[in-house]
Amino acid sequence: RYLLGNLYDFDPAAHQLPVSELEELDRWALHQFELVKRKAVKGYDTFEFHTVFHALYQFCGVTLSSFYLDIIKDRLYTEAPASRLRRSAQTVLHEILDGVLRLMAPVMSFTAHESWGHMPADPSREENVFFGLFPAARDEFLDQELDRSWRKLLEVRAEITKVLEVARQEKRIGHPLEAEVRVTASGETGAFLADRWQTLKLVSIVSDLTRVDDLGGEGVDSVAIPGLRIAVAPATAEKCERCWLRAGSVGSNPDHPQLCSRCSGVMAELG
């Protein structure tokens, strides 16, 4: 339902982007789906249907719902409808939806059939999901180096999430978007994060994440990652009423005094 709902204005023939133009997170999601796709097809070939079930269940429930979709909803909801950032996410959602429905059709026939009929119009797609083949292997979706990099990034994110959860339990913050995070990272971790701070902020789903050289006595040292120290505090900036991020740019545009600069720009583009 979520995938279908966010593809309502997506035309595969006109809006689909090549892999080389996709955002890094979107290419990571395609890599994960390619692994799941191959595992599920192999499960069908060997009549190990439990493998198919567990692969799809884990992918939909954890990789998608608990991570990828949670992050890209900001792009899907707040960027301009025809922006490259939004089309990048939609390209991946369409690829995953088409593939998942084909893979689930033998075991969740009614759901696959009904969903298939609500997909964006595409003359090249079979009229009925049961007339279609399983999704073909796409070597261009695989990127082992990207996957290794994101494994490390997600390890750092997990440490930030732990500190955010403690702050939430102590009622210092509510939603993570109400938090600002400061991080010190030295050694290998610091070198790895050198050009990834903006990506780390994106996947941590916080209003502000800043690299600092020294937190003093503040923060918590990570046990799992040497050289990483994290401090969380309530965000002090005003809340944008459109994207809900707290940003210092809120109110900078007199035409949209309750919006941040990004959302003001989108509203200006929309006219």
Side-chain angles (χ1 to χ4, degrees):
R1 186 183 298 118
Y2 186 92
L3 301 184
L4 286 170
N6 281 285
L7 291 171
Y8 73 94
D9 64 342
F10 184 75
D11 179 356
H15 302 146
Q16 185 164 300
L17 300 181
V19 177
S20 60
E21 295 181 19
L22 298 177
E23 288 292 290
E24 186 175 296
L25 174 59
D26 299 328
R27 289 189 284 113
W28 174 86
L30 280 183
H31 174 89
Q32 301 305 315
F33 180 56
E34 187 64 24
L35 298 178
V36 169
K37 179 201 304 182
R38 297 183 183 203
K39 185 175 184 179
V41 171
K42 183 179 179 181
Y44 278 120
D45 287 343
T46 57
F47 299 98
E48 295 180 348
F49 303 122
H50 65 284
T51 300
V52 179
F53 167 78
H54 286 296
L56 292 177
Y57 185 84
Q58 179 75 11
F59 179 72
C60 293
V62 179
T63 306
L64 287 186
S65 296
S66 298
F67 180 68
Y68 179 64
L69 299 182
D70 199 28
I71 294 170
I72 66 168
K73 65 184 180 184
D74 177 72
R75 266 191 279 160
L76 293 171
Y77 298 166
T78 64
E79 293 292 340
S83 68
R84 189 192 64 81
L85 288 173
R86 187 164 178 272
R87 295 307 189 200
S88 176
Q90 287 183 309
T91 295
V92 174
L93 294 185
H94 181 264
E95 181 70 30
I96 289 175
L97 177 62
D98 180 272
V100 165
L101 292 181
R102 292 173 186 269
L103 291 171
M104 68 189 292
V107 290
M108 295 187 68
S109 304
F110 294 105
T111 300
H113 174 70
E114 183 178 5
S115 300
W116 191 263
H118 291 282
M119 288 184 66
D122 184 353
S124 65
R125 189 173 57 243
E126 297 87 351
E127 182 179 353
N128 191 305
V129 67
F130 304 115
F131 296 159
L133 301 175
F134 285 148
R138 300 280 298 274
D139 289 339
E140 67 270 28
F141 290 168
L142 293 177
D143 191 332
Q144 299 297 341
E145 183 177 348
L146 178 69
D147 186 49
R148 285 191 293 269
S149 175
W150 272 78
R151 285 180 185 272
K152 294 180 183 178
L153 192 67
L154 294 183
E155 289 174 0
V156 177
R157 176 188 185 262
E159 294 302 296
I160 292 174
T161 300
K162 291 178 186 177
V163 182
L164 286 169
E165 179 59 23
V166 171
R168 190 190 65 79
Q169 291 176 356
E170 294 175 350
K171 301 190 184 303
R172 288 188 285 128
I173 63 169
H175 192 279
L177 287 179
E178 299 176 7
E180 58 181 39
V181 178
R182 290 179 295 156
V183 180
T184 61
S186 58
E188 291 184 7
T189 302
F192 170 74
L193 291 174
D195 59 350
R196 294 179 172 87
W197 290 102
Q198 185 58 37
T199 304
L200 183 61
K201 174 181 178 293
L202 171 73
V203 300
S204 298
I205 318 180
V206 293
S207 283
D208 187 42
L209 187 148
T210 309
R211 176 191 178 278
V212 296
D213 293 326
D214 187 5
L215 283 171
E218 293 184 69
V220 178
D221 286 316
S222 168
V223 175
I225 303 177
L228 184 69
R229 186 175 180 86
I230 305 160
V232 172
T236 56
E238 291 295 318
K239 178 180 178 181
C240 173
E241 293 195 354
R242 185 170 181 271
C243 69
W244 291 12
L245 288 174
R246 293 183 177 271
S249 62
V250 173
S252 60
N253 187 330
D255 293 332
H256 302 286
Q258 297 173 317
L259 303 184
C260 66
S261 58
R262 179 185 64 160
C263 287
S264 296
V266 173
M267 295 303 293
E269 183 177 341
L270 295 176

